[in-house]
């Protein structure tokens, strides 16, 4: 599946979609397992694996290079996230509820190419660093593509909103999430844990379009 889209087509698609599509609305099937069971599993798995698991992207490694110190300082001064400690624990044989999440999402909406399921942690002490950022940029030839978009299920306080630049704040239990749009989360010094499916072959607009068609057909 191609992800090479012109800038004009991307602008057209974005004009039709906000950067977050809730999946917990009325008449949408619940494909996710019990959030309390997933949270318990996530915290137990993290305790088993240790507290210092940190997943670094190539972009974060770039920030750490001394020659980029001036750009790093500019990013800090302008409120962009550069050093937020985001911990990720990937699905394996010890995460049956997380595996179930991926299986049930795929059964409900189909196959979108390569995916990875994980638990995603923002610690209370790191919440102030989690400012404006994108997880990838599909238009940039210099930023590694990695994750195209994600499906998030919030396992902790669902009243803490995510804010997208020029779009405002959103709260949700489960939603498709456009990681290519500038966003931030202030957790108010609370632990935030997500169950997450990351997509590397399909972009947000493609997946949301298919989900909407499935919902429309199912609710006729």
């Amino acid at each position: 599946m191609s992800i090479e889209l012109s800038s004009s087509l991307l602008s057209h698609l974005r004009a039709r979609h906000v950067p977050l599509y809730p999946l917990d609305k009325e008449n949408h099937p619940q494909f996710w397992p019990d959030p309390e069971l997933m949270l318990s599993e996530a915290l137990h798995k993290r305790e088993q694996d240790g507290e210092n698991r940190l997943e670094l992207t190539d972009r974060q490694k770039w920030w750490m290079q001394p020659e980029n110190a001036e750009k790093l300082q500019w990013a800090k001064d302008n409120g962009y996230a550069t050093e937020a400690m985001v911990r990720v624990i990937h699905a394996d044989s010890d995460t049956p509820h997380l595996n179930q999440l991926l299986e049930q999402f795929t059964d409900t909406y189909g196959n979108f190419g390569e995916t990875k399921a994980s638990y995603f942690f923002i610690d209370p002490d790191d919440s102030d660093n989690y400012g404006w950022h994108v997880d990838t940029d599909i238009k940039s030839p210099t930023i590694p593509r990695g994750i195209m978009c994600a499906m998030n299920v919030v396992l902790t306080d669902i009243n803490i909103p995510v804010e997208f630049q020029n779009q405002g704040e959103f709260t949700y239990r489960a939603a498709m999430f456009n990681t290519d749009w500038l966003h931030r989360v202030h957790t108010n010094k609370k632990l935030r844990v997500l169950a997450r499916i990351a997509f590397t072959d399909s972009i947000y607009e493609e997946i949301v379009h298919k989900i909407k068609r499935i919902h429309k057909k199912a609710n006729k």
Side-chain angles (χ1 to χ4, degrees), residues 5-219:
L5 300 179
S6 68
S7 58
S8 60
L9 179 55
L10 278 170
S11 298
H12 172 69
L13 287 169
R14 284 182 170 170
R16 298 174 55 198
H17 295 295
V18 295
L20 186 139
Y21 181 72
L23 296 169
D24 51 7
K25 295 186 289 188
E26 187 177 356
N27 297 325
H28 286 45
Q30 180 174 329
F31 55 84
W32 56 92
D34 186 326
E36 290 188 6
L37 292 178
M38 285 195 288
L39 179 60
S40 178
E41 179 176 86
L43 296 176
H44 177 69
K45 178 67 173 173
R46 179 171 175 174
E47 183 178 356
Q48 282 186 322
D49 291 357
E51 290 293 316
N52 296 317
R53 295 190 61 171
L54 171 63
E55 183 170 278
L56 294 177
T57 66
D58 290 339
R59 181 161 51 91
Q60 287 170 310
K61 292 177 183 178
W62 183 91
W63 284 120
M64 293 179 182
Q65 296 173 10
E67 60 269 28
N68 294 319
E70 184 176 340
K71 293 180 180 179
L72 174 60
Q73 188 60 52
W74 179 90
K76 286 182 177 180
D77 292 344
N78 287 274
Y80 286 84
T82 57
E83 295 179 327
M85 300 286 283
V86 175
R87 291 169 173 83
V88 178
I89 293 179
H90 294 289
D92 61 20
S93 59
D94 294 326
T95 58
H97 296 302
L98 186 58
N99 297 334
Q100 183 184 356
L101 171 68
L102 179 56
E103 290 168 6
Q104 292 182 177
F105 179 90
T106 303
D107 289 344
T108 303
Y109 296 118
N111 190 315
F112 292 97
E114 184 179 353
T115 56
K116 291 182 180 179
S118 62
Y119 288 122
F120 184 95
F121 302 81
I122 302 175
D123 286 337
D125 291 342
D126 297 319
S127 61
D128 290 343
N129 292 324
Y130 206 61
W132 292 114
H133 68 286
V134 296
D135 298 333
T136 188
D137 187 344
I138 63 175
K139 304 180 298 302
S140 171
T142 59
I143 296 179
R145 295 207 163 170
I147 297 171
M148 297 288 98
C149 62
M151 193 292 302
N152 293 343
V153 179
V154 179
L155 305 182
T156 47
D157 188 352
I158 63 172
N159 294 312
I160 293 176
V162 58
E163 182 180 4
F164 289 91
Q165 190 175 60
N166 301 323
Q167 292 291 327
E169 296 183 339
F170 299 82
T171 58
Y172 65 95
R173 168 66 75 188
M176 282 300 306
F177 196 106
N178 190 343
T179 57
D180 187 42
W181 204 301
L182 272 172
H183 59 279
R184 64 182 177 182
V185 178
H186 293 304
T187 68
N188 299 322
K189 298 295 184 180
K190 294 182 179 180
L191 173 68
R192 186 170 178 85
V193 184
L194 310 176
R196 191 185 205 209
I197 301 173
F199 301 86
T200 57
D201 289 334
S202 299
I203 64 171
Y204 171 84
E205 289 84 0
E206 292 172 315
I207 299 173
V208 169
H209 177 69
K210 183 175 181 181
I211 288 174
K212 285 185 174 182
R213 283 195 293 110
I214 290 172
H215 286 164
K216 184 176 180 180
K217 184 177 180 180
N219 293 322

